[in-house]
Amino acid sequence: MDFQISAVFKRSITIELLNDTICYAPSEYSILINGEEKLKTDLNVVTVDGLKPDTEYTITLLTENGKTEKIFNTEYESVLLDVKAFGASGDGETDDTAFIQAAINSCPDDGTVYLSKGVYLSRPLFLKSRMTFWVDDEAVLLGDTDRKHYPLLPGLTPTTDEKDEYNLSSWEGNPETSFASLITAVNAEELEIVGKGIIDGNGDKGDWWTDPKIKRIAWRPNTVFLNHCRHVRMQSLTVRNSPCWTIHPYYTDDIALYNLNIWNPSDSPNTDGFDPESCDGVLILGTRISVGDDCVAIKSGKYYMSDKHHKPADHFIIRNSFLERGHGSVTVGSEAAAGVKNVEVSRCIFKETDRGLRIKTRRGRGPNAVYDNIVFRDIIMDHVHMPFTFNMFYFCDPDGHSEYVQDQGARPVDDKTPLIGSVTAENIVAKGADQCMLVAYGLPERFIERIVFKNIKVSFLPKEARKPGQTIMMDDFPEMTGKSIYARNVKHLVVENVEISDCDDSGPELIDVLDYDSLNIAYNS
């Protein structure tokens, strides 16, 4: 069994097994560092910490069939700054913000700011370039609950020459003033946020989740907000109890998550796990996300941002990760007016989410709102109510229920009409489906271009265990249960080697699907 070194940090390393299994190895194996066993596991992606900076190591993967070794060097570290040396108490009651921020501001290039065992109550902290922020095991960074203690990040500020505008914040795809997040970075590069500790947004305390759609002073903060950053890596941390979206990279390129654990209560409002917005180069590896809304939601802003600050979401890889509970496992849109392309999700487990692959858009997103080359392969879905939903009538925003958005008759194609291009799903097993395997509803004036399903096996819950539900969020669309495929306004639908068990259908329901010559579905009772 072989492996690859996915990421090397100052004091840790993440590896990924090179196999064709999903999330788990075929059998347990050991990881040794310089001949000393560090852990036993059966996970495909693991992190080993407790290393020294700027040191050569030999890492060995040991199985019952033999061993594989590789040599690596940890990163250089210029200095380690313990926040307690700057006055932080870590007692969970004292406001440690100023002391931690003093350590951050004092940190030189390639330095590390270190939080040792303790609970550090803090207001928003601002990280900077070429530093590591290390929250060690048994350390908790705990967010202040009083919104009056949070700085504001203005959505738009005119530049001095009045020729441009400076964008510091975002709320649901628009440049709206929001509170700074517990961890905030603006225009930072070569930033690392690591450790086996906890970053707790404390959203379950205070009033963050009360009337969540009402703006009070400013819009709710994220727990981690990365604005116009480059080369950001996060590893091993638990990030939980977010006031709103948990980790929100915004116009940030080259960001990677390794073995993170992102958790929010299932009833917490708008607490998406990871919402990259207008980002290029995103990797999620070995990460577990269990939240109150979408686990991963890929976005690129609403119409204004696409028009004035156009940047599509591009080059996404999600692999060997666990996406649980929440509304969608991986969602594209709906605030994606600048488009989303080149997304590959593979070797993941989706568990007990409402939807598996969830694509959503609507009239008004504009001509750049093109979703294309989205590929899902080698996925296990466990009790996902609706494995696949493609919705071009999503009823979000104040005008979401308007006739313009919800009219199911054809309207003229104009500069506000979005497009769903090519979407492929292959080698997927879904057990315990409930409402419908696939709902794909394109606009009558702009059909979904191409949907390809290959090697899919779906089994439904027994009839007595199912509950009719709203499969896609649009007006005047019936609830469903036990239904296989509903496709409407689709140019090309390719279905090869698809097996559906224990549904109520004997065939798909296709309305205005122009080409479906390769329809190959086996229905089993």
Side-chain angles (χ1 to χ4, degrees):
M1 185 159 51
D2 199 4
F3 68 96
Q4 65 182 5
I5 296 175
S6 301
V8 179
F9 293 77
K10 294 180 174 69
R11 299 169 183 268
S12 57
I13 181 174
T14 295
I15 69 164
E16 180 182 26
L17 301 189
L18 297 176
N19 59 26
D20 57 2
T21 59
I22 298 172
C23 290
Y24 294 100
S27 60
E28 190 177 63
Y29 62 93
S30 297
I31 295 291
L32 288 68
I33 298 291
N34 289 349
E36 180 184 352
E37 184 176 272
K38 290 295 185 179
L39 59 85
K40 280 188 175 181
T41 184
D42 61 352
L43 291 171
N44 276 342
V45 180
V46 295
T47 292
V48 180
D49 63 357
L51 309 180
K52 295 180 180 180
D54 196 22
T55 302
E56 181 179 285
Y57 288 98
T58 298
I59 182 169
T60 304
L61 186 150
L62 183 63
T63 72
E64 57 188 13
N65 298 319
K67 64 181 182 180
T68 306
E69 292 186 344
K70 298 182 188 294
I71 296 173
F72 69 95
N73 264 80
T74 50
E75 290 186 327
Y76 166 76
E77 179 180 85
S78 61
V79 67
L80 179 70
L81 300 178
D82 190 328
V83 299
K84 288 183 177 178
F86 287 76
S89 66
D91 63 7
E93 297 179 359
T94 305
D95 184 349
D96 283 328
T97 311
F99 311 113
I100 301 173
Q101 192 65 56
I104 293 168
N105 291 355
S106 303
C107 188
D109 285 358
D110 302 316
T112 297
V113 171
Y114 176 54
L115 276 65
S116 59
K117 181 179 178 180
V119 178
Y120 300 84
L121 181 64
S122 182
R123 306 178 189 190
L125 301 169
F126 287 77
L127 305 186
K128 62 180 186 177
S129 296
R130 290 173 288 282
M131 67 165 288
T132 296
F133 189 75
W134 178 15
V135 184
D136 202 0
D137 189 25
E138 298 188 83
V140 179
L141 180 67
L142 184 65
D144 191 318
T145 59
D146 189 342
R147 66 181 59 222
K148 294 179 182 178
H149 293 168
Y150 280 62
L152 308 184
L153 294 180
L156 289 178
T157 302
T159 55
T160 303
D161 61 10
E162 299 183 351
K163 295 179 180 179
D164 204 349
E165 55 195 18
Y166 184 45
N167 173 215
L168 267 177
S169 187
S170 172
W171 170 260
E172 295 190 344
N174 280 324
E176 298 276 353
T177 297
S178 303
F179 290 109
S181 299
L182 180 56
I183 295 291
T184 298
V186 181
N187 298 317
E189 299 186 7
E190 307 293 341
L191 173 63
E192 297 175 350
I193 308 171
V194 303
K196 288 189 174 180
I198 296 169
I199 299 176
D200 191 326
N202 220 4
D204 53 334
K205 305 296 191 298
D207 61 356
W208 294 120
W209 296 343
T210 303
D211 297 322
K213 293 291 188 177
I214 295 177
K215 183 178 182 180
R216 284 174 284 169
I217 304 175
W219 292 111
R220 288 181 291 154
N222 314 125
T223 297
V224 178
F225 181 54
L226 307 167
N227 183 353
H228 288 81
C229 297
R230 295 180 67 230
H231 309 306
V232 180
R233 301 191 298 172
M234 301 182 68
Q235 183 196 53
S236 296
L237 292 157
T238 293
V239 188
R240 70 186 186 191
N241 293 325
S242 184
C244 195
W245 297 352
T246 309
I247 301 176
H248 181 196
Y250 183 64
Y251 287 83
T252 288
D253 293 345
D254 188 17
I255 177 170
L257 308 186
Y258 302 99
N259 283 123
L260 252 63
N261 179 31
I262 300 171
W263 186 92
N264 296 310
S266 59
D267 60 349
S268 53
N270 310 109
T271 57
D272 299 29
F274 183 70
D275 283 18
E277 183 172 358
S278 292
C279 296
D280 189 345
V282 175
L283 173 64
I284 302 175
L285 193 64
T287 288
R288 186 181 296 270
I289 303 177
S290 182
V291 292
D293 207 317
D294 292 326
C295 295
V296 177
I298 302 171
K299 302 175 181 291
S300 59
K302 291 182 181 175
Y303 189 86
Y304 179 88
M305 292 305 294
S306 175
D307 184 48
K308 300 294 185 182
H309 302 272
H310 177 75
K311 185 179 180 182
D314 198 358
H315 302 112
F316 282 71
I317 294 174
I318 304 170
R319 190 169 64 241
N320 272 318
S321 292
F322 302 84
L323 306 176
E324 303 171 348
R325 296 188 294 121
H327 295 169
S329 300
V330 176
T331 295
V332 178
S334 77
E335 300 93 9
V340 176
K341 57 185 178 178
N342 302 319
V343 175
E344 180 176 317
V345 183
S346 64
R347 297 166 62 196
C348 291
I349 296 176
F350 300 170
K351 185 176 181 180
E352 297 177 0
T353 53
D354 293 338
R355 300 160 184 88
L357 168 57
R358 184 186 191 192
I359 296 179
K360 51 185 183 178
T361 189
R362 44 148 290 183
R363 295 184 183 105
R365 289 293 184 246
N368 296 318
V370 178
Y371 303 169
D372 198 25
N373 193 26
I374 298 168
V375 178
F376 278 58
R377 59 166 58 96
D378 302 314
I379 306 288
I380 294 172
M381 299 192 193
D382 181 2
H383 286 77
V384 173
H385 294 300
M386 293 154 289
F388 307 96
T389 63
F390 306 167
N391 178 15
M392 298 189 76
F393 289 88
Y394 185 58
F395 56 41
C396 61
D397 304 335
D399 66 339
H401 297 283
S402 66
E403 182 181 358
Y404 169 69
V405 175
Q406 295 298 323
D407 183 5
Q408 296 180 31
R411 287 178 171 256
V413 173
D414 58 21
D415 63 355
K416 299 294 180 65
T417 309
L419 170 68
I420 296 177
S422 173
V423 183
T424 298
E426 57 188 10
N427 305 330
I428 293 172
V429 175
K431 297 179 180 180
D434 188 352
Q435 293 156 9
C436 191
M437 169 190 152
L438 166 66
V439 174
Y441 203 138
L443 291 172
E445 66 267 24
R446 178 162 278 168
F447 285 16
I448 297 170
E449 290 283 327
R450 184 176 179 83
I451 300 172
V452 177
F453 275 25
K454 294 183 178 180
N455 305 324
I456 311 288
K457 288 186 178 182
V458 177
S459 59
F460 277 76
L461 292 171
K463 278 190 177 183
E464 61 271 16
R466 297 187 215 141
K467 295 180 180 179
Q470 182 183 59
T471 56
I472 56 174
M473 297 175 68
M474 67 175 288
D475 293 343
D476 302 320
F477 190 75
E479 292 187 340
M480 292 180 175
T481 182
K483 192 168 183 62
S484 61
I485 294 176
Y486 178 96
R488 185 167 186 169
N489 302 334
V490 177
K491 282 188 179 179
H492 304 285
L493 176 63
V494 178
V495 180
E496 295 181 4
N497 191 30
V498 171
E499 182 179 319
I500 305 174
S501 301
D502 301 319
C503 73
D504 298 337
D505 286 346
S506 58
E509 183 174 356
L510 308 180
I511 303 171
D512 290 326
V513 176
L514 302 185
D515 176 13
Y516 52 91
D517 291 342
S518 298
L519 212 59
N520 180 6
I521 309 172
Y523 286 85
N524 301 320
S525 59

